[in-house]
Amino acid sequence: NAGVTQTPKFQVLKTGQSMTLQCAQDMNHEYMSWYRQDPGMGLRLIHYSVGAGITDQGEVPNGYNVSRSTTEDFPLRLLSAAPSQTSVYFCASRILAGGQLSTDTQYFGPGTRLTVL
Amino acid sequence: KNEVEQSPQNLTAQEGEFITINCSYSVGISALHWLQQHPGGGIVSLFMLSSGKKKHGRLIATINIQEKHSSLHITASHPRDSAVYICAVVWFGNQFYFGTGTSLTVIP
């Protein structure tokens, strides 16, 4: 298994540009999520999905869109990049148990380091 | 929202020392995870705890549900243990809440 993969690893954008961060997992996990990690702050949830066709907002959703057309893929779209979105982005996945988040391991992708100028 | 606090923020140790990292949270939880983030940025899960104690190699994790506190211990520390250690709580089937991490440097 490849686990959770993310592309690209690094990206530089200009203010106002749009882009999509890709995330895929091959573990058939229902739950997928996007986090951002900023210096001095813990990982913060942007958006999450409990299955294909179902997405919801996390703690810091503004400026980001997601979709979940398949179990495997969960792309994160930046609509109009801003310097405040400079961050490291992590995608993660885990299983659901009976409709609730399992307390089992959460698997993280390698991260995407995004800089917005 | 569940507040998660870790201490210390930064820790430097000599190789071979016994290390303790602490995590406190404000609201009752269903589980607590300890994660390790390597200097290259990748995050891996070390432990999941809902009660008691777990051991894996030189790593030991404990949790006291009544006191809302967990500790991660590293015995006989080694330079390869240098990483950021992150505590995360799961709030009764809901989202994860993360601490800000403890940056550990082990000097040979």
Side-chain angles (χ1 to χ4, degrees), chain A residues 35 37 59 90 94 101 103, chain B residues 1 33 37 48 94 96:
Chain A
Y35 297 95
Q37 186 179 40
E59 184 182 355
F90 288 95
R94 59 200 301 233
L101 271 181
T103 53
Chain B
K1 182 183 171 179
H33 292 247
Q37 184 169 26
M48 188 280 292
N94 212 310
F96 275 65

Side-chain angles (χ1 to χ4, degrees), chain A residues 42-109:
Chain A
L43 289 154
R44 291 182 293 167
L45 183 65
I46 304 171
H47 285 283
Y48 66 97
S49 169
V50 297
I54 306 168
T55 64
D56 208 345
Q57 296 180 348
E59 184 182 355
V60 288
N62 292 341
Y64 307 95
N65 272 358
V66 291
S67 60
R68 184 99 178 265
S69 56
T70 66
T71 299
E72 294 79 18
D73 299 298
F74 190 44
L76 177 73
R77 297 183 186 85
L78 279 69
L79 308 171
S80 177
S84 61
Q85 294 177 304
T86 294
S87 188
V88 181
Y89 292 85
F90 288 95
C91 179
S93 75
R94 59 200 301 233
I95 62 174
L96 276 174
Q100 293 284 329
L101 271 181
S102 163
T103 53
D104 285 346
T105 300
Q106 179 161 226
Y107 295 87
F108 288 85

